[in-house]
Amino acid sequence: MPVIDMPAVLKGTNRAKVRAAARINAEVFDRLLAACPDDHWRLLIAFCWHCGMRASESRWVRGEDIDLAGHRIHIPVNKAKDADHHCILSPEMDAALRVHFPSGIPEGLLIGRYDMSVDPSRLADTFRGIAKKAGVKGASRYGLITLHDLRRSFGTRMAAKVPAQTLQRLMRHAELATTMAFYADVEQAAVDALWSNVTVDVTPAQRPKTQCESVDVNDSTSTG
């Protein structure tokens, strides 16, 4: 049975810096997709980005694990070592799968390359090359984002849409504190929630006058 490899959280880790590194928008994700060497990689990072899956979970997904009707993905290899473990299939991932497999999702491993299915270090090395090619900086020791940052980004995006307990379920954390400390940039989520679909047009007529501008220089009552 494969072992889930979890990124280590070093003592003294700046949690705000970790969350900030995961502020990945759709344009950045598209650049990562374009920098991928093949469709196997595009599918893997899509699982991380659209469903918040760990890379070590994504690379073991089989076609028979995906329930399009029930909007769930069974995760046979997972951190909890739970035979019934699953994540929620997002509408975006559903659409990506239908485009990726127009004739239907096949059975067996969907990502079958050796370097993506067996060796975690090669997985991280290859993604580092993808991030470098796409020009996506991050908080890792190499100055680039990591695969796990895609999962964190999912958490931050969802934090603007769902309650904390629902976010915990989407992230599949045993403790809510883990979700809020490392995976949900709540402040950024609040900004996004307030300013999404808002356009600010500041014209001269709308611009507040300064104290000097509010004084009529031709007013004889003004003192010198």
Side-chain angles (χ1 to χ4, degrees), residues 172-192:
R172 296 170 287 116
H173 287 144
E175 300 292 337
L176 178 60
T178 302
T179 304
M180 304 312 291
F182 287 104
Y183 292 84
D185 190 336
V186 179
E187 181 171 333
Q188 184 62 38
V191 171
D192 293 342

Side-chain angles (χ1 to χ4, degrees), residues 10 12 43 45 54 65 86-87 89 92 118 130 138 145 160 187 204:
L10 302 178
L43 188 59
I45 69 171
R54 301 173 179 90
D65 294 325
H86 65 272
C87 73
L89 176 65
E92 295 81 5
V118 178
I130 292 171
I145 66 165
E187 181 171 333

Side-chain angles (χ1 to χ4, degrees), residues 60-78:
W60 291 101
V61 172
R62 303 165 300 181
E64 54 268 36
D65 294 325
I66 298 176
D67 179 3
L68 292 177
H71 312 304
R72 288 173 173 80
I73 301 176
H74 175 237
I75 305 176
V77 179
N78 58 81

Side-chain angles (χ1 to χ4, degrees), residues 6-214:
M6 292 299 296
V9 178
L10 302 178
K11 186 176 181 180
T13 296
N14 186 322
R15 300 183 182 193
K17 185 177 180 181
V18 170
R19 290 193 299 266
R23 293 176 186 172
I24 304 166
N25 59 29
E27 185 271 332
V28 170
F29 179 65
D30 285 343
R31 279 160 46 198
L32 290 170
L33 284 176
C36 286
D38 54 39
D39 285 342
H40 291 280
W41 266 100
R42 294 184 186 93
L43 188 59
L44 182 133
I45 69 171
F47 277 128
C48 300
W49 166 261
H50 289 308
C51 297
M53 294 177 68
R54 301 173 179 90
S56 49
E57 297 169 337
S58 302
R59 64 180 188 255
W60 291 101
V61 172
R62 303 165 300 181
E64 54 268 36
D65 294 325
I66 298 176
D67 179 3
L68 292 177
H71 312 304
R72 288 173 173 80
I73 301 176
H74 175 237
I75 305 176
V77 179
N78 58 81
K79 183 184 177 185
K81 299 180 181 179
D82 180 359
D84 295 323
H85 202 68
H86 65 272
C87 73
I88 307 302
L89 176 65
S90 69
E92 295 81 5
M93 192 66 223
D94 181 290
L97 286 168
R98 294 179 190 275
V99 170
H100 195 85
F101 301 109
S103 300
I105 300 175
E107 292 187 353
L109 284 176
L110 299 182
I111 303 170
R113 289 179 43 179
Y114 170 80
D115 62 333
M116 299 179 71
S117 299
V118 178
D119 191 338
S121 63
R122 291 181 63 182
L123 190 75
D125 289 344
T126 302
F127 184 75
R128 189 158 55 247
I130 292 171
K132 185 175 182 179
K133 182 178 179 181
V136 184
K137 297 181 179 180
S140 73
R141 60 176 175 167
Y142 299 100
L144 301 165
I145 66 165
T146 66
L147 272 169
H148 211 67
D149 285 331
L150 296 176
R151 170 170 159 80
R152 292 190 183 99
S153 180
F154 173 81
T156 292
R157 297 197 315 277
M158 292 302 105
K161 301 179 180 181
V162 301
Q165 289 78 7
T166 302
L167 179 61
Q168 179 190 1
R169 172 63 192 89
L170 287 172
M171 301 306 296
R172 296 170 287 116
H173 287 144
E175 300 292 337
L176 178 60
T178 302
T179 304
M180 304 312 291
F182 287 104
Y183 292 84
D185 190 336
V186 179
E187 181 171 333
Q188 184 62 38
V191 171
D192 293 342
L194 283 174
W195 287 93
S196 60
N197 301 319
V198 174
T199 301
V200 178
D201 181 17
V202 180
T203 63
Q206 294 173 316
R207 182 169 57 85
K209 291 183 178 180
T210 66
Q211 187 175 4
C212 291
E213 289 174 327
S214 64

